[in-house]
Amino acid sequence: MDVSSKTSNDISFDDFKEQIISDYEIAFLSRTCSLLGRKEVLTGKAKFGIFGDGKELPQLAMARSFKNGDFRSGYYRDQTFMMALGLLTPKHFFHALYATTDIEKEPMSAGRQMGGHYLTHSLNSDGSWKDLTKQKNSSADISCTAGQMPRLLGLAQASKVYRELDGLDSAKFSSNGNEIAWGTIGNASTSEGMFFETINAAGVLQVPMVISIWDDEYGISVPAKYHTTKEDISKVLSGFQRTDTDTGFEIFKVNGWDYTALMHAYENAADIARQEHVPVLIHVKELTQPQGHSTSGSHERYKDNARLEWERDNDCNKRFKEWILESGISTEEELATIEKRIKRTVREAKKEAWSEYLENLLSAKKNLVSLIDQAASKSSNKNFLNKIKNDLIAIEEPIKKDLAIAARKSLRYLLGEQTAEKNALNDWTTKFLDEAQHVYSAHLYNENENKATNIKAIPPTYKNENEQVDGRVILRDNFDKLFEKHPNTLIFGEDTGAIGDVNQGLEGMQEKYGKTRVADTGIRETTIIGQGIGMALRGLRPIAEIQYLDYIFYALATLTDDLASLMYRTAGKQKAPLIIRTRGHRLEGIWHSGSEMGGLIHLLRGIYILAPRNMTQAAGFYNTLLKSDEPALVIESLNGYRLKESRPSNLGEFCTPIGKVETIREGSDITIVSYGSTLRIVEQAARELLEVGIDAEIIDAQTLLPFDLDKDVLNSIKKTNRILVVDEDVPGGCSAYLLNEIIEKQGAFKYLDSAPQTLSAKAHRPAYGTDGDYFSKPNREDIFEKVYAIMHEANPNNFPKLR
């Protein structure tokens, strides 16, 4: 649907005069911040700048229709929108540029993200939820292009869930599902697969989302003809337009300089999405980017003179001002007075922000200079220390790095000296470094009392241990208890619903709990994860199912860029306690026996990674996670669903602890650490090793992130003095991580009588078939021979060479 100013005649001049002047003030304020912000980068006070200039008018229109309880999932051009909602002040803007680490002064990330990345605080200081229905909400931005789109789907779906399900405690999260999820994206980024996957999924799910595409016809230096078929994304997506007989999107097209048309378009879009739960796309055309993409380059390098002249003539702020004057809403003199006042306000905000940024640093510098001076007065290296002191004095506007370098280098010249002055400098340095490191490293995981690692273990109990059932039955019946106990828990994925997942771990659950709580999805891993993130941000407890571990790599960007970094990049102000359920490890073939744990444990710091050896352990992890509120990846053993396990009597109650290992066989000669499906093979090998006099202790790592917080592996090595890590990941993968944790972090090297060793899979993917598994991943004979070789090296008389 094209929207022009002709369709906006119903807007009353008298009703909107005050609004129009207010909007002009915000547009001019935002533009002034952008212009001055660029100068701050070019003078060196800030490292990088990316601004919202040229996109002011449509963002004002979006802000007018944005209500309490709504959520934004946008990208780094939306500063005008945030200012219009009162969520971003000029001083906040400059503190973000300077990377101020005070969350009160820089509320978007406490200096962890560059400017232009916006969020609101969803959590109280104790980690509990604020009332999100009483505030306007923005999920935390990421720089990765189109990365905001998968999460947008889940934010919108949450409204659908809250409207459809009875019995949910939605008081802080939704008012009958009336909230809209608002997405923003640049035209060039619509080329990304994440965008198209989200559009398709939203059309299928029919969720209340409004997506704005800011179209300035470029992606950095690349024009639209290289990005988009027909050079027009709304033409490309016209097949998604809903009709009288088919569901789909409502699609609007509007020029970004047409104030009344924009207001009309956004009001219509909001009404449709909010009332009908229909997704809406607004293609905002003819926008400009006056300062180019960012401070890293000038758009004069890639736009010809005709284009640059067109952009100057059609700048949305310029056109808005012309319209105001032509309509008689205001005069040149009145607008000039407003502009002069705003310029003064922005300059004062910049000055105050820089002064506040420097205040603590200058105080710390003064203290450090004094401490170095006092230490120098008692040192034989006085001249060297005085040079460090004087170099520091010369830095008029220091940063933390300058102070850290000066303090640490000073201590080098005090080696071997024992004076009170040296001790004072040392104490200051230790405290300064600890506090600074905490500022930059805190909140990777939950730091409150309800964190998952504080959930106490509750062992499974058995009325009759002889009652043996398939492992998948334990999972199924445990999920049944959880869905009954936690009405805000829902699960979704490919083949999850009607057939109860490919391994029948959810058999009958959809029939019992309905299609909203136990749902099938399309084959679209990225937006399955996005659904989970968005719904978790709005107080639900989603479990997103990825059918096989290998397929998680389709969603890896969303997991690592968004979910894993969420708590960190918001400095603990947002959380998304999403559980990702998948299955992997040993089975058959390249694509269904994935054990790429080395990659995952490094890329997904911020998410717990749990690798249970059987379905009882897996069920216990789900029980633990639903008592806490942190994201986790649970990898069930793909070849364990039909293996028999004793059926616990306290399903839904027993808890497998997170961050703790389990010793499943005690021994005296060597400690073997493994996890998942391979652990069963280790147990088989251990029984055979007994036949040649080798008594192996077996430890199930079971939680890879975090690993062994109680250092039980270290205690085992103190007894056995040997360590072997057996892992079905590639050489140097997860086994290297585990050795780093054991040898370096736990300090086990002091207790070893033999070299620490690993036994991993081959470097290639596992070949198909039983022989493929045998010759690709560690087998029983490999383990036996590896352990025997370690013992032969230690005691060749008792253990002569095997082969």
Side-chain angles (χ1 to χ4, degrees):
M1 178 187 297
D2 284 323
V3 179
S4 68
S5 56
K6 292 180 181 179
T7 65
S8 304
N9 292 329
D10 56 324
I11 297 176
S12 165
F13 173 84
D14 293 330
D15 291 343
F16 282 89
K17 181 175 181 179
E18 185 176 345
Q19 170 194 312
I20 290 164
I21 297 302
S22 174
D23 281 348
Y24 183 75
E25 289 179 347
I26 296 167
F28 191 83
L29 175 72
S30 180
R31 179 65 62 87
T32 304
C33 285
S34 295
L35 295 172
L36 195 50
R38 182 180 180 86
K39 291 181 180 179
E40 288 300 274
V41 175
L42 298 179
T43 60
K45 287 183 178 178
K47 295 288 289 184
F48 181 78
I50 193 158
F51 308 111
D53 48 303
K55 314 297 187 293
E56 289 91 351
L57 229 57
Q59 292 179 30
L60 291 168
M62 185 170 79
R64 288 289 174 186
S65 293
F66 197 94
K67 306 297 183 186
N68 282 350
D70 287 358
F71 258 91
R72 167 190 168 272
S73 182
Y75 84 132
Y76 41 73
R77 300 290 184 196
D78 294 345
Q79 73 187 45
T80 307
F81 172 79
M82 296 296 287
M83 288 178 171
L85 294 183
L87 300 173
L88 177 70
T89 68
K91 193 184 288 189
H92 292 154
F93 172 90
F94 287 106
H95 272 300
L97 268 183
Y98 305 144
T100 300
T101 55
D102 184 338
I103 193 67
E104 299 300 322
K105 293 182 174 64
E106 203 285 87
M108 299 303 156
S109 74
R112 294 182 176 190
Q113 291 213 99
M114 68 178 71
H117 295 75
Y118 305 115
L119 64 97
T120 51
H121 296 183
S122 298
L123 306 179
N124 298 306
S125 58
D126 63 355
S128 61
W129 291 103
K130 292 177 177 286
D131 188 339
L132 304 184
T133 68
K134 297 288 199 307
Q135 63 182 43
K136 295 175 174 65
N137 303 286
S138 175
S139 59
D141 293 344
I142 56 178
S143 293
C144 312
T145 183
Q148 71 274 23
M149 297 303 295
R151 163 187 1 123
L152 174 65
L153 178 67
L155 289 168
Q157 188 182 4
S159 290
K160 194 175 187 73
V161 171
Y162 281 120
R163 183 172 288 186
E164 290 182 350
L165 289 184
D166 296 326
L168 292 181
D169 181 9
S170 61
K172 292 184 176 182
F173 307 110
S174 180
S175 176
N176 194 38
N178 291 331
E179 301 79 22
I180 295 172
W182 300 78
T184 66
I185 189 168
N187 58 296
S189 294
T190 63
S191 302
E192 291 281 7
M194 289 179 180
F195 173 80
F196 279 96
E197 189 172 316
T198 301
I199 291 290
N200 183 58
V204 170
L205 291 170
Q206 288 293 282
V207 292
M209 94 170 35
V210 177
I211 300 174
S212 297
I213 300 170
W214 310 142
D215 190 349
D216 58 25
E217 299 185 14
Y218 280 83
I220 307 183
S221 66
V222 181
K225 65 181 179 180
Y226 297 114
H227 287 288
T228 309
T229 303
K230 302 180 182 181
E231 299 184 42
D232 190 314
I233 189 62
S234 54
K235 285 183 181 178
V236 172
L237 297 176
S238 60
F240 285 88
Q241 174 68 54
R242 65 174 180 163
T243 67
D244 292 339
T245 57
D246 296 318
T247 59
F249 273 71
E250 191 61 66
I251 300 176
F252 295 90
K253 184 181 287 188
V254 60
N255 288 327
W257 46 261
D258 191 336
Y259 179 80
T260 55
L262 286 163
M263 290 295 170
H264 185 80
Y266 277 90
E267 288 169 2
N268 282 349
D271 288 343
I272 292 167
R274 202 178 303 279
Q275 295 168 16
E276 301 178 46
H277 274 198
V278 170
V280 182
L281 185 144
I282 304 177
H283 183 190
V284 184
K285 294 276 291 177
E286 297 196 11
L287 288 171
T288 66
Q289 204 149 275
Q291 297 187 113
H293 176 264
S294 68
T295 54
S296 63
S298 170
H299 64 160
E300 285 82 3
R301 290 184 302 153
Y302 52 84
K303 292 177 182 173
D304 61 29
N305 289 333
R307 174 67 193 189
L308 291 169
E309 183 178 357
W310 182 90
E311 290 198 8
R312 286 190 291 270
D313 290 341
N314 291 281
D315 182 304
C316 66
N317 281 14
K318 178 176 180 290
R319 295 287 297 266
F320 187 28
K321 183 176 182 178
E322 291 170 351
W323 177 79
I324 290 172
L325 295 173
E326 290 169 3
S327 302
I329 295 169
S330 187
T331 66
E332 284 274 14
E333 293 75 15
E334 289 169 341
L335 295 184
T337 300
I338 290 171
E339 292 169 1
K340 184 177 180 181
R341 170 174 53 81
I342 289 172
K343 287 180 179 179
R344 184 171 59 250
T345 297
V346 174
R347 287 195 300 269
E348 290 173 354
K350 176 191 74 72
K351 182 178 179 181
E352 289 174 11
W354 184 245
S355 177
E356 290 172 1
Y357 170 78
L358 284 177
E359 183 179 8
N360 289 336
L361 292 169
L362 291 174
S363 175
K365 171 188 166 181
K366 181 179 179 181
N367 289 337
L368 179 56
V369 166
S370 175
L371 288 168
I372 296 173
D373 185 60
Q374 292 170 34
S377 68
K378 300 292 180 67
S379 174
S380 58
N381 288 316
K382 180 178 181 178
N383 291 337
F384 294 104
L385 288 164
N386 281 337
K387 183 180 186 310
I388 293 174
K389 179 191 70 176
N390 291 332
D391 287 346
L392 181 58
I393 290 171
I395 302 174
E396 294 183 1
E397 297 174 339
I399 60 175
K400 291 185 179 74
K401 176 184 175 182
D402 298 322
L403 303 177
I405 290 172
R408 297 169 87 171
K409 282 190 173 181
S410 294
L411 290 172
R412 297 178 194 175
Y413 290 107
L414 297 169
L415 283 170
E417 298 182 11
Q418 297 298 327
T419 65
E421 289 77 9
K422 174 194 173 179
N423 292 338
L425 176 59
N426 186 70
D427 291 344
W428 184 96
T429 304
T430 300
K431 183 181 179 184
F432 178 81
L433 292 174
D434 286 347
E435 290 177 351
Q437 194 64 60
H438 180 78
V439 162
Y440 292 106
S441 299
H443 302 296
L444 181 60
Y445 295 92
N446 180 3
E447 297 179 359
N448 295 302
E449 287 303 310
N450 68 331
K451 59 186 177 182
T453 51
N454 280 357
I455 305 299
K456 301 298 183 184
I458 299 175
T461 57
Y462 302 92
K463 291 180 180 177
N464 178 9
E465 289 201 40
N466 293 324
E467 184 187 358
Q468 298 289 300
V469 297
D470 288 350
R472 62 118 192 153
V473 172
I474 293 173
L475 272 178
R476 179 198 67 191
D477 293 351
N478 193 77
F479 277 129
D480 189 14
K481 296 289 187 183
L482 291 179
F483 294 149
E484 186 179 280
K485 184 191 301 185
H486 303 285
N488 63 342
T489 297
L490 59 160
I491 190 167
F492 46 91
E494 300 159 17
D495 299 303
T496 295
I499 68 169
D501 87 43
V502 290
N503 297 101
Q504 299 288 279
L506 293 164
E507 181 188 23
M509 294 299 101
Q510 186 181 82
E511 184 178 357
K512 184 172 183 180
Y513 294 101
K515 292 182 179 180
T516 299
R517 293 190 66 190
V518 184
D520 285 311
T521 70
I523 299 176
R524 46 175 183 79
E525 286 78 9
T526 298
T527 46
I528 289 172
I529 296 300
Q531 285 177 254
I533 296 172
M535 286 193 280
L537 280 164
R538 293 191 58 193
L540 295 168
R541 293 308 308 268
I543 302 173
E545 182 168 312
I546 301 297
Q547 193 168 83
Y548 297 108
L549 180 62
D550 301 87
Y551 301 164
I552 207 166
F553 292 98
Y554 284 94
L556 189 58
T558 299
L559 286 167
T560 186
D561 294 332
D562 199 351
L563 182 62
S565 70
L566 177 67
M567 184 163 282
Y568 173 77
R569 74 180 190 271
T570 66
K573 296 303 181 182
Q574 288 188 357
K575 63 182 176 183
L578 168 63
I579 300 170
I580 303 111
R581 180 194 182 210
T582 190
R583 48 195 67 82
H585 309 314
R586 311 183 79 118
L587 194 65
E588 300 293 349
I590 289 176
W591 308 118
H592 289 77
S593 53
S595 300
E596 302 89 348
M597 304 309 299
L600 294 176
I601 58 177
H602 295 304
L603 292 168
L604 301 184
R605 301 295 172 100
I607 299 174
Y608 291 134
I609 297 184
L610 314 176
R613 68 182 181 272
N614 58 36
M615 302 309 157
T616 302
Q617 296 296 98
F621 278 136
Y622 293 121
N623 298 340
T624 299
L625 290 167
L626 285 171
K627 286 186 174 183
S628 183
D629 60 356
E630 293 170 85
L633 170 64
V634 181
I635 305 164
E636 298 165 9
S637 294
L638 186 51
N639 59 4
Y641 293 104
R642 306 295 175 186
L643 297 181
K644 300 298 182 183
E645 298 180 34
S646 296
R647 177 187 172 87
S649 59
N650 58 340
L651 290 166
E653 301 294 336
F654 64 88
C655 293
T656 308
I658 291 175
K660 301 184 188 302
V661 300
E662 182 179 352
T663 301
I664 61 175
R665 185 188 188 283
E666 294 192 358
S668 57
D669 293 324
I670 188 170
T671 300
I672 304 177
V673 175
S674 191
Y675 60 91
S677 295
T678 301
L679 203 72
R680 293 193 293 272
I681 301 173
V682 172
E683 290 183 274
Q684 296 165 0
R687 288 193 289 270
E688 296 181 0
L689 285 165
L690 272 178
E691 297 172 5
V692 294
I694 299 173
D695 189 15
E697 182 149 299
I698 303 173
I699 294 179
D700 181 4
Q702 84 183 353
T703 79
L704 301 177
L705 284 179
F707 172 74
D708 192 14
L709 299 177
D710 293 337
K711 298 185 178 180
D712 287 333
V713 174
L714 174 64
N715 293 329
S716 174
I717 291 173
K718 288 178 180 179
K719 177 175 60 173
T720 67
N721 308 116
R722 295 177 184 87
I723 176 68
L724 172 67
V725 175
V726 181
D727 181 21
E728 57 175 310
D729 195 5
V730 296
C734 190
S735 58
Y737 159 76
L738 291 172
L739 269 191
N740 173 263
E741 290 281 316
I742 295 164
I743 302 302
E744 185 175 340
K745 191 172 179 180
Q746 295 189 5
F749 68 93
K750 294 180 289 188
Y751 304 98
L752 291 175
D753 292 337
S754 298
Q757 296 201 40
T758 65
L759 176 61
S760 66
K762 298 298 184 284
H764 55 73
R765 292 265 187 159
Y768 171 67
T770 300
D771 282 345
D773 177 80
Y774 186 86
F775 289 99
S776 299
K777 294 193 173 187
N779 57 58
R780 191 187 318 178
E781 287 69 39
D782 290 335
I783 297 166
F784 181 99
E785 292 176 5
K786 185 74 169 181
V787 172
Y788 190 89
I790 293 171
M791 299 306 295
H792 164 73
E793 189 272 336
N795 191 341
N797 292 327
N798 287 351
F799 302 101
K801 188 174 182 180
L802 181 62
R803 67 180 177 88

